[in-house]
Amino acid sequence: MSRALTAQAVHVSQHPLVLHKLALLRSRTTEPISFRQLVQELAQLLFYEATQDLRVEPCTVQTPLGESSGYRIAETIGLMPILRAGLGMAEAIHDMVPAAQVWHLGLYRDHQTLKPVTYYNRLPSQPTIDVSFILDPMLATGGSAIAAVEILKHWGVRRIKFLGLIAAPEGLQALRETHPDVPIYLAVVDSHLDEQSYIVPGLGDAGDRQFGTG
């Protein structure tokens, strides 16, 4: 990883559970039902690491035995899964923060130009969140992630983070150079992209493997 991709901006998890589940996720013998479960578990683990700076405020709760002081999240969280592969990540993270807003972004890669095309965006006119998390298992060329960040910045969101499972160095570099203010949380950075812009060794098509359409 180059010096431009500083540890402060790019967070690659070294948690033993992430490493273990990532190996299972990659395996070509992992069936869709297990693949989806692993995507969800990895998403939750990475979200835990990506939310250590969330603002909290004090609160008081009543236990069965008395009153206790505590804390609650004081920010409105937005989950932005990139369709369709990001859906599994969003579902799992939404279970952790059920008060979060979920806004789907439909982006696909044109197979001729390899550029992202937006086909679904129902964001309201004004932002209703404090911090947003773009969710996409694969950061390949970086085109979809860059387009999603630009959509959110145009919407007016000031704090944006990207959560992915596997990245190629090419896509990681592209996202960092275009949006150096966006922290990136990953399970691993792989070797390279092939001629069709698939991550190598990667895991294949994350959407097809989640939904059994490959």
Side-chain angles (χ1 to χ4, degrees):
M1 186 175 295
S2 69
R3 291 184 179 180
L5 303 178
T6 63
Q8 195 172 35
V10 180
H11 309 262
V12 181
S13 179
Q14 297 300 312
H15 195 288
L17 284 175
V18 172
L19 301 178
H20 172 74
K21 292 178 183 298
L22 179 63
L24 297 174
L25 188 75
R26 288 188 190 271
S27 174
R28 64 187 304 173
T29 63
T30 299
E31 296 294 331
I33 187 170
S34 298
F35 190 93
R36 288 194 299 273
Q37 183 65 36
L38 288 164
V39 166
Q40 293 169 357
E41 292 171 352
L42 283 164
Q44 290 181 334
L45 290 168
L46 291 175
F47 186 71
Y48 173 83
E49 295 186 357
T51 51
Q52 296 187 60
D53 63 345
L54 284 180
R55 184 169 56 87
V56 296
E57 60 186 11
C59 66
T60 301
V61 298
Q62 193 71 31
T63 80
L65 299 178
E67 193 174 83
S68 173
S69 60
Y71 294 92
R72 60 188 172 200
I73 295 174
E75 298 183 282
T76 302
I77 297 171
L79 305 179
M80 277 65 183
I82 295 179
L83 300 175
R84 65 179 169 158
L87 290 174
M89 297 178 69
E91 180 181 358
I93 294 173
H94 206 201
D95 286 342
M96 298 177 71
V97 282
Q101 298 180 16
V102 181
W103 296 99
H104 300 93
L105 295 176
L107 297 164
Y108 71 88
R109 184 172 63 188
D110 186 288
H111 289 293
Q112 292 186 335
T113 65
L114 301 182
K115 300 294 184 181
V117 177
T118 302
Y119 68 89
Y120 186 85
N121 176 1
R122 296 293 299 274
L123 296 174
S125 58
Q126 298 296 323
T128 55
I129 58 177
D130 298 309
V131 55
S132 65
F133 294 85
I134 298 172
L135 310 175
D136 195 358
M138 312 299 280
L139 180 60
T141 65
S144 294
I146 290 169
V149 172
E150 290 171 352
I151 289 171
L152 294 179
K153 285 185 174 181
H154 181 74
W155 189 35
V157 180
R158 295 185 177 182
R159 292 172 57 207
I160 303 170
K161 300 186 181 187
F162 178 88
L163 267 68
L165 303 185
I166 301 179
E170 297 91 332
L172 185 56
Q173 186 73 42
L175 179 56
R176 287 296 302 132
E177 289 180 349
T178 309
H179 298 291
D181 56 325
V182 175
I184 302 168
Y185 293 83
L186 302 164
V188 70
V189 179
D190 268 2
S191 173
H192 64 280
L193 294 176
D194 68 10
E195 314 80 57
Q196 285 78 43
S197 294
Y198 280 96
I199 300 174
V200 179
L203 50 73
D205 188 298
D208 284 343
R209 294 196 65 187
Q210 282 185 79
F211 302 110
T213 55

